[in-house]
Amino acid sequence: MTKIAVVLSGSGVFDGAEIHESVLTLLALERHGFDYQCFAPNIEQMHVINHLTGDVAEGESRNVLVESARIARGNVKDLAEAKADDFDAAILPGGFGAAKNLSDFAVKGSDCSVNPDLVNFIKGFAKDKKPVGFMCIAPAMLPHIYGEGIKLTIGTDQDTADAIEAMGGVHQACPVDNIVVDAGNNLVTTPAYMLASSVSEAAKGIDKLVDKIADMLG
Amino acid sequence: MTKIAVVLSGSGVFDGAEIHESVLTLLALERHGFDYQCFAPNIEQMHVINHLTGDVAEGESRNVLVESARIARGNVKDLAEAKADDFDAAILPGGFGAAKNLSDFAVKGSDCSVNPDLVNFIKGFAKDKKPVGFMCIAPAMLPHIYGEGIKLTIGTDQDTADAIEAMGGVHQACPVDNIVVDAGNNLVTTPAYMLASSVSEAAKGIDKLVDKIADMLG
């Protein structure tokens, strides 16, 4: 059975994995008949955001793996133990967790670094040209994984696109209901909530991303 | 435009609203062209469950409204301010939050009480026969809102069904991909994750529940 790794970064758009994007990803994978396993790093979140007010919840701390388990209904494993050889493809939903917990792109922009376990894991797919899908802000990490010249989208935000190009990525503007494909690397990206104004709008690009990965898997 | 109220009870199956059920509900509502507004009570959760281990996170406390904002991407209002007159229908996703935060059914079974703001809110729909949908464990609260003889399902769990019947409800066994309709009250229920083993399985019943509510709204 085709097995897909889904890497989460917490649970909540402002400090973790975007919940709608994550659930839509799991739903699309199942509807293709794919099996999946969720992973997340066993690290503290950069911070906790009160999602009602948008403020930092001072004095609160949460663990990325433990919070990701909310989306995964308990079935999530430590990213440090993930092996690319066990999977046919990998997908990263977005949310600020991708830019705060899996990397520090939200703070450092083009000077960011990326979680080494994530880099190692995704490089395991990249070297064999296995399909990989990144959505929302998560593609900002891709130049640090695939290297210069990697083609991707985060939608249309010019500042973010400039930062990605400063890291060696090739940014291509893309509407919410479409994908950008780097065919040489079997890499698919979609803007999702970088542009979406609703869950059904996000679903259009995410479904297309998963469809494309299914195509690549034959 | 048709407006639907969605009442959440936190964010995470073991201590809040079931995340998949909640997102699937919002997605189905949007695909019918319905507008929605999320609500949640501004109260502390019964407790916080570490969703990785299943254990109570001792010493931690979280607010139901604040955590629900994770699913609603910030756009959630206090249930105490919700007015049934502003909406055409109401839906409650499940998760243990329905039985721990919106009621104490998880602790007291048939001796449970239900959050008074929720009772008042849903009674506002019931008196005008406006469509209402409850899923997963949430229907256990319905005898306290609609009174004796209300027909509903929580799937096939006999102990839960017995507790519901002890409160005056009429439980009807139902598979995960179907719904139970109390036509006289325009009330629809579906088992969702009381029986579902995956997100796509839960989606079948939830989509059917929202379809039925759309039918009732004409």
Side-chain angles (χ1 to χ4, degrees), chain B residues 140-200:
Chain B
M141 295 183 272
L142 290 168
H144 282 334
I145 300 173
Y146 284 83
E148 289 205 8
I150 190 73
K151 192 168 82 177
L152 62 93
T153 190
I154 51 79
T156 58
D157 185 73
Q158 196 54 54
D159 287 348
T160 308
D162 289 346
I164 286 167
E165 300 242 328
M167 290 186 279
V170 176
H171 184 264
Q172 196 167 304
C174 177
V176 67
D177 60 351
N178 214 343
I179 54 175
V180 165
V181 179
D182 185 315
N185 291 289
N186 280 341
L187 175 73
V188 194
T189 50
T190 191
Y193 271 109
M194 283 296 286
L195 289 176
S197 60
S198 72
V199 58
S200 58

Side-chain angles (χ1 to χ4, degrees), chain B residues 57-145:
Chain B
E58 299 291 351
E60 251 196 274
S61 67
R62 297 187 187 183
N63 176 288
V64 178
L65 179 60
V66 169
E67 295 310 310
S68 297
R70 291 179 176 271
I71 292 175
R73 294 173 50 84
N75 187 10
V76 60
K77 294 182 180 172
D78 187 344
L79 180 62
E81 292 159 21
K83 290 181 177 61
D85 287 348
D86 296 339
F87 296 93
D88 301 291
I91 299 186
L92 260 83
F96 273 104
K100 291 179 173 178
N101 303 326
L102 298 180
S103 74
D104 53 8
F105 181 80
V107 179
K108 298 195 176 165
S110 60
D111 293 327
C112 73
S113 58
V114 180
N115 180 291
D117 289 328
L118 181 67
V119 173
N120 287 339
F121 185 52
I122 301 298
K123 277 189 169 171
F125 293 85
K127 76 173 167 50
D128 295 331
K129 309 274 192 216
K130 286 183 186 171
V132 168
F134 274 50
M135 62 188 73
C136 189
I137 190 63
M141 295 183 272
L142 290 168
H144 282 334
I145 300 173

